[in-house]
Amino acid sequence: MKKYVVLLSIVVLVSLILSSCMNFNEPQNEIVNSQQLYYVFKNAPVKSNPPTFSKLWSYQTGNWVVSSPALSPNGKTLYVGSVDRYFYALNANGNVSWKVSLGGPVISSPSISINGNIYVVASSLSSVNYSATGTGYLYKISPNGNVTTLYTFPNIVGTSPLLDPKTSNVYIGCLDGNLYSISNTGHLNWTFQSGGEIGSSPVLSNGGNTVYFGSANGYFYAVNASDGSMKWKYQTGAGIVSSPALDANGNVYFGSTDDYVYALTSSGSLIWKYNTGSRIGSSPAISNGTLYIGNEAGYLDAINISDGSWKWHYKTGGYILSSPAVDANGTVYVGSADGNLYAIGSNGSLVWKYPTGNVVGTSPVIGPNGVVYFGSNNYSVYALSTGSGVGLGAGPWPMFRRDIVHSAVGSVDGFKLLGDFERTGNINFSDLMDIALAWGARTGQSNYNINYDIGPAANTQGYGYYDTAYPDGVINFTDLMIFAMNWGKQAVNPPDVTSVLSANLRPANITQEASGNYIFLTVNLDNVMGCDLVVKENNASFVQKSGLDSDIALLKEGGGIFHAMIAGTGNRINGKITFEFIKNGSTSTLDVLKEELR
């Protein structure tokens, strides 16, 4: 009886929430965390008059500010490091909430977890000099300023930490050439040696299975997040310090010091490349079908992501290391070595510029109320009101590290309408009962289902509903609010890949090798890449170290043909093997009929 009373209470509560949500406007692409009482809505109309700007405040640190600032999930606290060895938390008025002394200059940018913890790196070097040697330290700082040293690196770290929302692991590149995976408690999970210094901050793929980054040896890498094994690499003409950006389809974009911007598929195939005419140290931003990136010649380029064609460029007075940020009106903000922060209209014309008197190499962050924050080599951090009243633009990657907390994580759920548990395209009473039955469940409990753990969440695709979840391990009010705010939305139909996959799957060949039994599935992956591969077995004996999926190896044959190989054990492989290729909710299957090897 008690159980039904709880269910009825939840249903009533949702009804009240829904009635209060009916007048809400569309969500922005900020993370929404109801545990912190933070909800972001586009409550200011797009203004037709040219916006004016004004300086709200500036705060002077003790040295250069080359660390790009990030905001807390509620947008009210700015976090930024300085070469003066301090890390600062500044409130909305520019006053210091707290500051902590770290083990060296802070030259990389912080990343903020969904529960508000800050991850940042400092390095013990005498100055900002990438040819120097030293030691790097990874810190976890609580929202009230308590510092925990998680890991010590054997060399300088100039990249930003990447937080895995599924595993809580931290991925980070070091000048010793290694990409590191560190657990949330400071344990070393694995390393991957790239063969060159890593100054490109890593990002996590759509789906969360792959870490992307570039190296000074000119290669761009895709590495398995689970074990650090290499999936593929792509060679450019020079070193890479640009941090990648992702689109909604999982394609990856980055710049190289060979002057080119590259667009690659999730399998590492070149889609297009564009010559900007000068070396690139800036990282791309993507909004409304356009990629924005700066170069050493001082140009901000706008490029169509569909085909790599040029739209426009704007010339600043110095080189650009700053990465652009795009607001909801399409205005692009970027810093330059000429000492200015620029606001460039969506047509490539100057809206305004703000002088600081020294290099602006940091990447701006746009708050939900239209305030732009950035740092300068004049030792100061600035807050400027743009006059627009709007926050970040539509996804998928409108600023450096994707969003205000620097999550640098691609879409986990594709075009999924969070709360549509029955996958009907909208949310109904059946979905309500699903979340009600799971209410209060936590990770490890029998009634916990990660599909119902939909909050905190973000709108990464720009379709007007929350589509990307960052599960926090419990079904509670956070999930209920996301459910309520998505009520009445219509899901965008994902691309139907079933027919494409069926046309490209070939019959599986089962062969026997001296070292054991193997099942080979031959697949033309030209149109299949970007899918998740799931292998199911029925009455077959396999070696499973950490799950069947971990025993899959993709072996390239040439001409776009790959083999999926599963290692077997014993004298026979006996049973029905099913290969599932899943993309954006669509599944294509290939059954290998019962075979027996003796």
Side-chain angles (χ1 to χ4, degrees):
M1 180 66 183
K2 182 179 179 181
K3 177 180 179 181
Y4 292 106
V5 171
V6 172
L7 292 177
L8 180 60
S9 300
I10 293 173
V11 171
V12 172
L13 178 60
V14 172
S15 300
L16 292 173
I17 294 173
L18 291 176
S19 63
S20 64
C21 285
M22 291 306 176
N23 294 324
F24 285 175
N25 292 319
E26 299 297 329
Q28 284 185 292
N29 58 329
E30 311 291 348
I31 290 177
V32 175
N33 188 343
S34 68
Q35 291 175 326
Q36 296 169 321
L37 302 179
Y38 176 53
Y39 312 102
V40 181
F41 303 98
K42 192 175 293 182
N43 51 19
V46 176
K47 298 186 177 183
S48 58
N49 296 324
T52 58
F53 75 96
S54 60
K55 175 183 171 182
L56 297 179
W57 54 259
S58 65
Y59 176 84
Q60 186 168 350
T61 71
N63 210 315
W64 292 356
V65 179
V66 296
S67 167
S68 297
L71 286 167
S72 61
N74 64 8
K76 295 181 179 179
T77 303
L78 185 77
Y79 298 112
V80 65
S82 171
V83 178
D84 68 2
R85 298 171 177 252
Y86 280 96
F87 187 79
Y88 297 84
L90 305 177
N91 65 21
N93 297 319
N95 298 319
V96 177
S97 297
W98 50 259
K99 68 176 184 178
V100 292
S101 177
L102 301 180
V106 182
I107 57 178
S108 67
S109 302
S111 300
I112 321 300
S113 69
I114 58 175
N115 57 10
N117 288 322
I118 306 106
Y119 293 78
V120 68
V121 175
S123 295
S124 59
L125 66 163
S126 58
S127 62
V128 183
N129 182 355
Y130 280 90
S131 64
T133 59
T135 304
Y137 305 95
L138 173 63
Y139 299 97
K140 179 171 71 173
I141 307 175
S142 70
N144 58 4
N146 294 323
V147 180
T148 302
T149 303
L150 284 183
Y151 195 79
T152 301
F153 301 91
N155 208 324
I156 299 168
V157 175
T159 63
S160 301
L162 167 62
L163 311 181
D164 191 325
K166 293 182 178 179
T167 65
S168 297
N169 291 329
V170 183
Y171 309 102
I172 194 163
C174 181
L175 292 192
D176 67 359
N178 281 303
L179 179 73
Y180 290 80
S181 171
I182 311 295
S183 75
N184 194 43
T185 58
H187 170 75
L188 176 63
N189 297 318
W190 52 257
T191 62
F192 173 82
Q193 175 55 242
S194 71
E197 295 178 344
I198 301 177
S200 166
S201 296
V203 305
L204 199 60
S205 69
N206 293 10
N209 299 317
T210 306
V211 182
Y212 297 117
F213 68 99
S215 174
N217 65 359
Y219 280 97
F220 185 83
Y221 291 93
V223 173
N224 279 300
S226 60
D227 59 10
S229 60
M230 186 176 72
K231 288 189 170 183
W232 51 262
K233 63 181 179 179
Y234 183 91
Q235 187 175 15
T236 71
I240 302 169
V241 294
S242 176
S243 181
L246 303 173
D247 68 16
N249 296 317
N251 299 320
V252 58
Y253 305 82
F254 62 94
S256 172
T257 55
D258 67 0
D259 302 354
Y260 282 90
V261 179
Y262 291 84
L264 305 180
T265 67
S266 59
S267 63
S269 299
L270 180 68
I271 302 173
W272 53 258
K273 63 179 182 178
Y274 174 80
N275 190 344
T276 68
S278 185
R279 297 192 299 179
I280 299 173
S282 173
S283 300
I286 302 172
S287 183
N288 293 318
T290 303
L291 179 147
Y292 303 93
I293 196 167
N295 69 11
E296 196 174 80
Y299 283 97
L300 174 70
D301 281 283
I303 304 166
N304 286 301
I305 65 168
S306 59
D307 58 8
S309 59
W310 178 79
K311 295 183 71 172
W312 53 259
H313 62 211
Y314 181 87
K315 180 72 164 68
T316 71
Y319 60 83
I320 298 177
L321 293 178
S322 170
S323 302
V326 188
D327 74 11
N329 287 338
T331 303
V332 186
Y333 303 90
V334 69
S336 172
D338 67 6
N340 289 296
L341 179 81
Y342 287 84
I344 311 297
S346 58
N347 61 355
S349 61
L350 178 67
V351 179
W352 52 259
K353 62 181 179 179
Y354 181 84
T356 69
N358 210 323
V359 174
V360 179
T362 63
S363 303
V365 57
I366 306 172
N369 55 355
V371 176
V372 174
Y373 306 89
F374 66 99
S376 170
N377 283 10
N378 69 356
Y379 299 8
S380 294
V381 182
Y382 292 87
L384 303 182
S385 173
T386 64
S388 67
V390 299
L392 276 175
W397 209 276
M399 63 169 286
F400 178 65
R401 314 297 288 156
R402 203 198 80 163
D403 48 37
I404 64 171
V405 297
H406 288 176
S407 72
V409 177
S411 172
V412 177
D413 292 299
F415 300 92
K416 184 176 179 181
L417 173 65
L418 296 182
D420 180 19
F421 307 125
E422 302 294 328
R423 303 307 296 270
T424 60
N426 52 50
I427 300 174
N428 54 39
F429 188 76
S430 296
D431 303 305
L432 174 58
M433 293 305 297
D434 287 336
I435 196 171
L437 290 169
W439 186 261
R442 294 179 176 272
T443 304
Q445 296 179 344
S446 59
N447 61 334
Y448 174 80
N449 187 329
I450 194 170
N451 292 322
Y452 303 155
D453 193 356
I454 58 175
N459 166 25
T460 65
Q461 307 298 329
Y463 288 104
Y465 54 75
Y466 293 100
D467 53 65
T468 301
Y470 301 93
D472 57 6
V474 60
I475 312 299
N476 58 13
F477 189 71
T478 302
D479 311 290
L480 193 60
M481 285 303 300
I482 300 300
F483 182 90
M485 287 187 286
N486 271 356
W487 185 274
K489 309 295 185 183
Q490 182 68 41
V492 175
N493 292 326
D496 182 8
V497 298
T498 303
S499 58
V500 175
L501 293 175
S502 299
N504 285 278
L505 293 177
R506 299 181 182 179
N509 298 315
I510 300 179
T511 60
Q512 186 171 11
E513 303 290 343
S515 59
N517 298 330
Y518 297 87
I519 290 181
F520 285 96
L521 170 65
T522 302
V523 185
N524 184 332
L525 294 183
D526 289 338
N527 294 314
V528 176
M529 293 312 293
C531 299
D532 293 325
L533 173 61
V534 177
V535 180
K536 296 181 179 180
E537 54 88 14
N538 174 34
N539 195 30
S541 177
F542 288 105
V543 176
Q544 298 187 48
K545 296 179 181 178
S546 59
L548 188 58
D549 289 352
S550 67
D551 296 322
I552 298 172
L554 290 179
L555 308 177
K556 185 167 184 178
E557 178 185 280
I561 305 299
F562 282 69
H563 296 294
M565 179 186 74
I566 291 85
T569 186
N571 294 326
R572 65 182 63 185
I573 295 177
N574 186 13
K576 178 182 178 182
I577 312 300
T578 301
F579 295 88
E580 292 187 351
F581 294 85
I582 304 172
K583 186 171 185 179
N584 294 332
S586 296
T587 302
S588 181
T589 63
L590 178 70
D591 291 336
V592 180
L593 298 179
K594 182 176 178 179
E595 298 285 350
E596 186 173 297
L597 295 178
R598 296 186 184 276

